[in-house]
Amino acid sequence: MHGSQSHDRSHGDLANSERRMGLAAALTGAFMFAEVAGGIAAGSLALLADAGHMLTDFASLSLAWFGFRLSRRPADWKRTYGFDRFQVLVAFANGLTLFAIAAWIVYEGIERLMTTPPVAGGIMVVVAVLGLLVNIAAFMLLQGANRENLNVRGAAIHVLGDLLGSVAALVAGAVILFTGWTPIDPILSIVVAAIIVRSGWRVGAEAGHILLEGAPQELDTRAIAPDLVANVKGLEEVHHLHVWSITQSRKMVTLHACVADTSDSDQLVKAIKARLKSAFGLDHATVEIERGECADAPPEKHKV
């Protein structure tokens, strides 16, 4: 019963996240064209940078939405774990695009600090206010999704970076409108780029860790074997222990368990799995029972 409830809740979270991701993508894509036009008319790097970021936001949100759609497909004989990890792949790609966006903004910002082209502050303020409202709406949509999902977090960081870009464009437009000091436009753009890089690194590193089959970051795998030996009666040794994740919420573990000759294998497997779940939150475990020699031990060399 509990497993069924957990599955239904997980399916509901995915459906809710998918719906909110689609709405955020539509909202972002619809405003992007207005911001491009406003940036060209005002001659503002801050607006154009924000529009460029919005373009990648639209692409990343659409890809994230597609990731949720694809993950609902059942596993097959070629992909026995299903399509869940596509979400992680999307999050990793989103992290990389954030680096590319930041690099372009910094390059353009340095160039504009050297040339200081004219900027229309009034147009900047109007477009930036509209962009800020759109980004706030998109960000609030994603806040209602499953924020533990790496795909949602990657998309939310894109939108948050865009929101900060709109704030920067608004501040820059106001400063130019009242003081005429145009260097504020590229300066604030570079500040936003630095924030984007920091956020992109965190998402990209976490997604990359999962793609490299790294152990869940909240677990110390060195503690698992001693804990099992100490708490499961009849268990003598644990080796060939591997822990990894399909997604942030789907953790896997495999291990070899050396047991006494008189032990009940079925009961030991149940006890090991119960301990893994209660102590470490690992509810998908494959346990190989061994008595004596390990089946994967290298063969002894023949004596000459």
Side-chain angles (χ1 to χ4, degrees):
M1 182 67 180
H2 292 299
S4 176
Q5 289 175 346
S6 176
H7 177 78
D8 292 342
R9 185 166 56 251
S10 176
H11 182 76
D13 284 343
L14 284 176
N16 176 55
S17 296
E18 179 189 322
R19 183 172 59 253
R20 288 175 175 273
M21 194 75 73
L23 289 171
L27 196 61
T28 302
F31 184 75
M32 176 187 64
F33 297 103
E35 195 162 36
V36 170
I40 293 172
S44 166
L45 173 63
L47 279 182
L48 287 174
D50 197 35
H53 195 190
M54 263 196 154
L55 173 62
T56 60
D57 279 353
F58 173 67
S60 66
L61 288 168
S62 300
L63 193 59
W65 172 82
F66 179 67
F68 282 120
R69 294 282 294 182
L70 190 63
S71 68
R72 292 193 302 179
R73 293 180 59 180
D76 57 35
W77 67 275
K78 286 185 177 180
R79 290 159 290 262
T80 57
Y81 281 126
F83 294 81
D84 275 1
R85 188 170 277 188
F86 188 77
Q87 300 171 43
V88 181
L89 190 60
V90 169
F92 185 71
N94 280 343
L96 293 181
T97 59
L98 287 167
F99 282 99
I101 295 164
W104 177 77
I105 293 172
V106 170
Y107 174 79
E108 285 291 325
I110 292 171
E111 200 168 72
R112 289 199 172 213
L113 281 172
M114 295 166 62
T115 57
T116 59
V119 180
I123 296 175
M124 276 188 72
V125 170
V126 172
V127 177
V129 167
L130 293 174
L132 182 61
L133 294 175
V134 168
N135 286 317
I136 288 174
F139 189 71
M140 293 305 295
L141 274 171
L142 295 181
Q143 286 297 98
N146 180 6
R147 283 179 285 173
E148 293 183 2
N149 184 283
L150 197 57
N151 200 20
V152 171
R153 284 174 51 196
I157 287 173
H158 264 277
V159 174
L160 180 60
D162 207 12
L163 193 154
L164 293 173
S166 294
V167 171
L170 178 59
V171 172
V175 169
I176 292 168
L177 191 62
F178 291 107
T179 69
W181 192 59
T182 56
I184 188 66
D185 180 51
I187 288 172
L188 287 182
S189 298
I190 292 172
V191 171
V192 171
I195 296 170
I196 290 172
V197 165
R198 182 175 178 272
S199 300
W201 171 258
R202 291 176 62 185
V203 170
E206 195 165 345
H209 184 75
I210 292 175
L211 292 173
L212 289 171
E213 306 286 1
Q217 295 182 358
E218 68 274 15
L219 288 180
D220 183 350
T221 59
R222 297 169 297 183
I224 296 177
D227 179 90
L228 291 175
V229 172
N231 291 280
V232 178
K233 188 176 180 181
L235 181 60
E236 297 179 344
E237 184 195 351
V238 171
H239 58 270
H240 283 319
L241 174 72
H242 299 283
V243 187
W244 72 101
S245 303
I246 300 298
T247 66
Q248 263 192 320
S249 58
R250 287 186 66 189
K251 302 176 181 66
M252 308 284 181
V253 57
T254 62
L255 59 89
H256 290 195
C258 294
V259 302
D261 288 339
T262 56
S263 300
D264 184 329
S265 299
D266 292 340
Q267 291 302 317
L268 266 171
V269 169
K270 289 180 181 178
I272 290 169
K273 289 190 173 187
R275 183 62 188 176
L276 286 169
K277 185 173 183 178
S278 64
F280 302 99
L282 297 168
D283 56 4
H284 189 112
T286 301
V287 179
E288 181 174 324
I289 295 293
E290 295 174 348
R291 287 182 168 85
E293 184 181 357
C294 174
D296 293 334
E300 292 185 11
K301 292 183 179 180
H302 296 291
K303 295 181 180 180
V304 180

